[in-house]
Amino acid sequence: MKYTIEMIGWEYHIQTKSLDAEQSEQARWDIDNISELADLHLNGEADFEICALDNSGNGPLSLTVYDENNKSVLELEANDFTHYSEIEELCEKDWDKDVEINPNSDDYENTLYLEKDYSGSVFYYEVESDEVPTKDDFLYSSLCIITPNGDIDLIGKLIFKPNALKGELDGDGIPNYLDLESGKHKGTYMNLFTSDGENIEIND
């Protein structure tokens, strides 16, 4: 039987781009505008982009499983989820991922960082199972975005019996889902992290 999974929480939509010295100076002095900089550097041109749900424990996170008749058969909250490393036969898997966007790292000279936050976003998955899914069938991996403002802890992969779920939007091995409906927009933030150690907030 097929089951539909709805995972709801606080969504981070993050885009980053490495800027050279000239681009960085232009972003700082000539443009200094979120919309213009996003159009110039990030629309289809980001070096890194992700939509994922918060896993810091600061916001609500829930998962509901529906059967083919759209009947709810399982409801989980954040404290019901187990990291895959706690399962002996999976502890050697390499499903966690750290993404460093700091300037002067291997991939960035200066970092242009754009974050959009949404509450109540829904990530959709679909699984097949001969038995009704239970709490013990679901695990997660971690995705950590390392920034000069601190680390952002996100849900990486959703894992079911005991495979990492995949979907149409699979990319480079981080969050997989069939579809996404962003919730209520809560904020947009842009920073320019320079190779000189400056953290410049950019506002519209």
Side-chain angles (χ1 to χ4, degrees):
M1 179 178 287
K2 288 185 178 181
Y3 294 89
T4 299
I5 301 166
E6 294 183 359
M7 197 169 184
I8 303 175
W10 185 279
E11 174 197 347
Y12 284 85
H13 181 188
I14 296 171
Q15 295 174 286
T16 64
K17 182 76 173 179
S18 179
L19 303 186
D20 61 28
E22 181 179 348
Q23 291 170 324
S24 180
E25 283 298 303
Q26 185 182 37
R28 178 174 181 175
W29 301 112
D30 296 341
I31 297 179
D32 193 24
N33 179 282
I34 291 179
S35 299
E36 289 187 35
L37 286 169
D39 288 341
L40 180 63
H41 296 294
L42 296 172
N43 286 349
E45 300 293 335
D47 292 325
F48 172 77
E49 181 172 5
I50 194 67
C51 294
L53 294 178
D54 177 47
N55 190 36
S56 68
N58 294 327
L61 179 70
S62 64
L63 181 148
T64 305
V65 181
Y66 296 91
D67 65 15
E68 293 177 344
N69 297 315
N70 204 34
K71 177 184 176 182
S72 173
V73 296
L74 179 67
E75 295 182 2
L76 303 178
E77 299 297 330
N79 57 5
D80 294 320
F81 291 100
T82 300
H83 189 268
Y84 73 88
S85 63
E86 297 183 41
I87 306 302
E88 183 176 355
E89 59 267 31
L90 296 179
C91 63
E92 293 184 359
K93 292 285 188 178
D94 188 25
W95 282 328
D96 288 341
K97 188 175 182 71
D98 293 340
V99 178
E100 185 174 0
I101 64 162
N102 291 315
N104 294 319
S105 62
D106 291 342
D107 298 318
Y108 294 89
E109 181 177 348
N110 303 281
T111 304
L112 185 66
Y113 173 90
L114 177 64
E115 174 187 317
K116 296 180 180 179
D117 297 345
Y118 303 86
S119 65
S121 293
V122 186
F123 284 59
Y124 294 95
Y125 304 83
E126 190 175 83
V127 298
E128 291 192 16
S129 176
D130 294 332
E131 300 175 348
V132 177
T134 68
K135 169 182 175 293
D136 294 336
D137 293 329
F138 290 97
L139 306 166
Y140 75 91
S141 69
S142 298
L143 170 62
C144 182
I145 311 298
I146 303 169
T147 85
N149 280 342
D151 297 348
I152 301 173
D153 295 319
L154 303 171
I155 293 287
K157 296 177 181 294
L158 182 62
I159 299 158
F160 177 76
K161 279 190 171 180
N163 299 304
L165 297 183
K166 297 182 178 182
E168 295 173 359
L169 303 180
D170 291 357
D172 57 356
I174 45 184
N176 303 314
Y177 45 85
L178 288 175
D179 202 1
L180 160 65
E181 290 183 5
S182 292
K184 185 177 180 180
H185 180 237
K186 289 294 188 178
T188 297
Y189 312 94
M190 179 176 277
N191 294 75
L192 176 64
F193 305 122
T194 74
S195 57
D196 294 329
E198 291 186 279
N199 179 351
I200 302 163
E201 293 186 15
I202 297 173
N203 301 292
D204 276 328

